Amino acid sequence: MLYEKIAEALEVQFEETVTNRRYLHQHPELSFQEINTKRFIKDKLVSYGYTAIAEEIGGGGILATLDSGKPGPVIGFRADFDGLAVQEETELSFQSTQAGVMHACGHDAHTAGLLSIARAVLPLREELVGKLVFIFQHAEEVPPGGAKGIVESGLLDDLDAVYGWHVQGDDPYNGKIYIHKGYAMAATDAFTIEIQGKGGHGASPHTSIDPAVIGAYLIQQLQTLVSRRKDPIDPAVLTIATFKAGEGAHNVISDQAIISGTVRTLDPEVQDMIEQGITDMTENVCKAHQATGKVKYERGYPSVYNYPDETTLVEQLFKEKFGEDMVGDMPVIMGGEDFAYYLKKKPGSFFFVSGGSVEQRDLFPHHHGKFTLDERSMLTGAKAFALLINHYLTKKVGEPV
Ligand SMILES: [Zn+2]
Ligand SMILES: [Zn+2]
């Protein structure tokens, strides 16, 4: 069976996969600046025998295509490869060599894992139908994100489905994967509100228009968008992160107040409602107090929508191979992922692979300077992809070759 051959190759190559991951870990680069990382990935792909390699897609992505030359499904697999502006604080022997930059989200493991499956499957091309596209993606961590440009390039237009996985470092490694059908991760928006009042003496509020009082009132009102305006079973978060008025003098009413925050939603209709609600409330609350209010609302990544059929497929294939209890449900995460852009365009699924390091006494969250992962998660993720390759791209019995 094709799967067994791919899985065996993955096991044989595992040492190289670990070496690749550790190299990437030692040489992290910030989003949109991944020059050395891109060179490393391309060199590896060439050394494995890939020739159809498209570079600088959407501002930095690398697409490696394995075309069997026979008609069949076209399936995409994605890994991201950017690091974070975090100072590494682990005790690892292969720590980051770049001060203040670290692979603190596990993208080094995603990339090494995808390289391993790309390598394992290439010698088996005669046994495949259809086409595989390995998507190595830059800049997941910083909006506008690398995925948007890659999707807009049109090079993925012929995909039938697209899959990706993220290491789940918060749980000790146990060989399981975690799935969630439907909306799985949030849309991540940011907003800034400018309230223009009229400054004056702190002892004479009647001659001023106090933007601090208006801002305080508005902050309370905005919470009702979440608590009163939407269906309670639709998740949403509206967080005010900053509120600034005045320059420090205790007896001055300032001219202006600035409020900023983030909105996290799953359902695009709730997202639209909250965006409109912030604008309406700001304008009307300000008007009621003779001030003016302006809102700058910036949409970040859309919410990640996992297609039920493609997610069920991952679940079934993994359970059949590894056991019923090896697939868990992933609770909805109100964090974002630019994998959402692929799923806006094509069906597919984004799942999680358990990968917290067991030796570590305390597990540190993603984006923490002490974040570490269990490298076996790369094998689990690659095997999940191998099961999908086996499902989609195996010649069916009796099918003409
Ligand atoms: Zn991250
Ligand atoms: Zn990440």
Side-chain angles (χ1 to χ4, degrees), residues 34-35 66 76 80 103 160 164 189 200 213 218 225 304 314 340 352 357 385 388:
E34 309 97 329
I35 298 164
L66 192 169
D80 42 12
H103 269 295
D160 292 302
D189 301 342
V213 173
L218 179 59
L225 292 170
V304 172
V314 173
F352 288 81
S357 70
F385 281 173
L388 289 162

Side-chain angles (χ1 to χ4, degrees), residues 135-298:
I135 307 161
F136 294 90
Q137 185 210 304
H138 59 299
E140 189 284 321
E141 297 283 3
V142 177
K148 191 166 187 279
I150 293 177
V151 170
E152 285 170 356
S153 76
L155 289 177
L156 302 179
D157 285 0
D158 63 344
L159 288 190
D160 292 302
V162 61
Y163 293 91
W165 59 268
H166 203 295
V167 64
Q168 173 56 290
D170 302 341
D171 284 325
Y173 171 82
N174 56 16
K176 289 191 191 183
I177 63 166
Y178 298 91
I179 54 153
H180 191 93
K181 291 167 205 172
Y183 290 111
M185 295 180 76
T188 53
D189 301 342
F191 64 88
T192 306
I193 298 171
E194 218 181 275
I195 300 169
Q196 187 61 49
K198 184 171 162 241
H201 197 292
S204 309
H206 58 294
T207 63
S208 327
I209 298 169
D210 186 350
V213 173
I214 301 167
Y217 184 65
L218 179 59
I219 287 172
Q220 298 297 322
Q221 293 305 302
L222 290 175
Q223 293 304 320
T224 64
L225 292 170
V226 173
S227 66
R228 302 288 89 185
R229 286 276 294 278
K230 65 159 193 67
D231 188 326
I233 59 169
D234 283 330
V237 179
L238 189 159
T239 291
I240 303 297
T242 69
F243 178 24
K244 188 173 179 300
E247 297 298 333
H250 62 268
N251 55 358
V252 173
I253 291 171
S254 64
D255 267 322
Q256 214 184 36
I258 308 281
I259 296 166
S260 73
T262 185
V263 173
R264 306 292 170 108
T265 51
L266 296 180
D267 185 336
E269 277 184 32
V270 176
Q271 184 184 26
D272 289 346
M273 182 280 287
I274 291 182
E275 176 174 1
Q276 190 60 48
I278 292 175
T279 304
D280 291 347
M281 271 185 186
T282 300
E283 283 172 9
N284 289 306
V285 166
C286 287
K287 197 170 162 207
H289 295 278
Q290 294 159 330
T292 51
K294 263 198 318 212
V295 178
K296 192 167 140 217
Y297 192 95
E298 291 167 289

Side-chain angles (χ1 to χ4, degrees), residues 80 82 105-107 110 140-141 166-167 336-337 350 366-367:
D80 42 12
D82 53 332
C105 200
H107 299 184
H110 304 165
E140 189 284 321
E141 297 283 3
H166 203 295
V167 64
E337 235 298 336
F350 187 69
H366 290 256
H367 294 204

Side-chain angles (χ1 to χ4, degrees), residues 304-380:
V304 172
Y305 179 78
N306 280 328
Y307 283 66
D309 287 355
E310 280 69 17
T311 309
T312 302
L313 179 67
V314 173
E315 179 183 17
Q316 282 174 349
L317 293 173
F318 206 83
K319 279 184 174 174
E320 271 167 29
K321 180 53 65 184
F322 298 107
E324 279 292 311
D325 57 346
M326 294 308 277
V327 179
D329 187 53
M330 184 77 202
V332 169
I333 298 172
M334 295 311 274
E337 235 298 336
D338 74 350
F339 195 81
Y341 287 109
Y342 302 102
L343 295 174
K344 281 225 131 200
K345 186 96 181 170
K346 295 289 172 183
S349 190
F350 187 69
F351 53 95
F352 288 81
V353 172
S354 91
S357 70
V358 189
E359 312 81 52
Q360 202 171 276
R361 198 164 49 87
D362 303 300
L363 289 170
F364 292 94
H366 290 256
H367 294 204
H368 192 285
K370 289 189 175 162
F371 172 81
T372 58
L373 56 84
D374 189 310
E375 290 169 325
R376 288 173 293 178
S377 57
M378 297 188 283
L379 205 47
T380 309

